Amino acid sequence: MTKSLRTLFPLIFLAAALSVTSASAQTDAQKAFSAIKNMPGMWEGKTPEGQPLQVNFKVTSAGSAVMSEILGEHNMISMFHLDGPDKLLMTHYCTVGNQPRMQAIVSPDGKTVTFNLIGATNLSTPDAGRMQRMVLTLLDDNHHTEEWTFTDHGKEMKEVFDLRRKM
């Protein structure tokens, strides 16, 4: 082996080892998506008005998406998926007829995932009513909350659902 190859070999080995290590580490978005993928099944709670509420989570599309269906007076669906390793997105199919797209910010402990509006389809005007934010707080394997913020012409309305896994 020539002297230059002997000098480069440890550097090449170190670079290869680091690339394997970094490839196996999950991003915050991937960790949050994995947590959401562990939520399949029926969840029960009550609306702020005391009405019964059910939310069904289902992993679909060969594990590349999770569907959450809010079952109640007005059924709504939200779809969660990754966009590359660093972005966790949610599209909410709302009863008002539009589809807000939101991107997640994950808390340092990974237990709170805040989805903020990044765009929407079918908005009649830029300030028309739409979901602006959803905060998913994972309390434990069988308990989570969802805080939904609806914005209409600058006015915010919030609803919090306290949900437990149906056993």
Side-chain angles (χ1 to χ4, degrees), residues 31-56:
K31 289 176 191 174
F33 186 58
S34 291
I36 292 169
K37 285 172 68 173
N38 285 326
M39 296 175 68
M42 189 64 70
W43 296 75
E44 298 178 314
K46 294 190 185 290
T47 66
E49 297 80 29
Q51 299 299 314
L53 176 74
Q54 292 186 320
V55 179
N56 188 34

Side-chain angles (χ1 to χ4, degrees), residues 10 13 19 36 121 159:
F13 179 76
S19 70
I36 292 169
T121 54
E159 284 198 13

Side-chain angles (χ1 to χ4, degrees), residues 75-88:
N75 294 359
M76 291 179 276
I77 290 176
S78 297
M79 296 296 294
F80 302 87
H81 69 91
L82 288 170
D83 181 14
D86 297 324
K87 286 185 196 175
L88 176 57

Side-chain angles (χ1 to χ4, degrees), residues 36-142:
I36 292 169
K37 285 172 68 173
N38 285 326
M39 296 175 68
M42 189 64 70
W43 296 75
E44 298 178 314
K46 294 190 185 290
T47 66
E49 297 80 29
Q51 299 299 314
L53 176 74
Q54 292 186 320
V55 179
N56 188 34
F57 282 84
K58 179 181 178 184
V59 178
T60 187
S61 300
S64 68
V66 176
M67 181 179 75
S68 165
E69 184 175 16
I70 297 172
L71 304 167
E73 184 179 342
H74 302 287
N75 294 359
M76 291 179 276
I77 290 176
S78 297
M79 296 296 294
F80 302 87
H81 69 91
L82 288 170
D83 181 14
D86 297 324
K87 286 185 196 175
L88 176 57
L89 301 177
M90 176 183 78
T91 302
H92 177 70
Y93 298 85
C94 194
T95 58
V96 298
N98 56 41
Q99 301 80 35
R101 291 183 314 273
M102 302 181 202
Q103 184 172 336
I105 297 172
V106 183
S107 66
D109 67 0
K111 294 195 177 286
T112 303
V113 185
T114 302
F115 292 90
N116 291 303
L117 184 73
I118 58 171
T121 54
N122 289 321
L123 281 181
S124 56
T125 64
D127 60 349
R130 80 255 178 208
M131 286 297 174
Q132 184 74 27
R133 175 177 302 111
M134 194 276 276
V135 180
L136 175 66
T137 304
L138 305 165
L139 300 166
D140 63 42
D141 289 343
N142 297 307

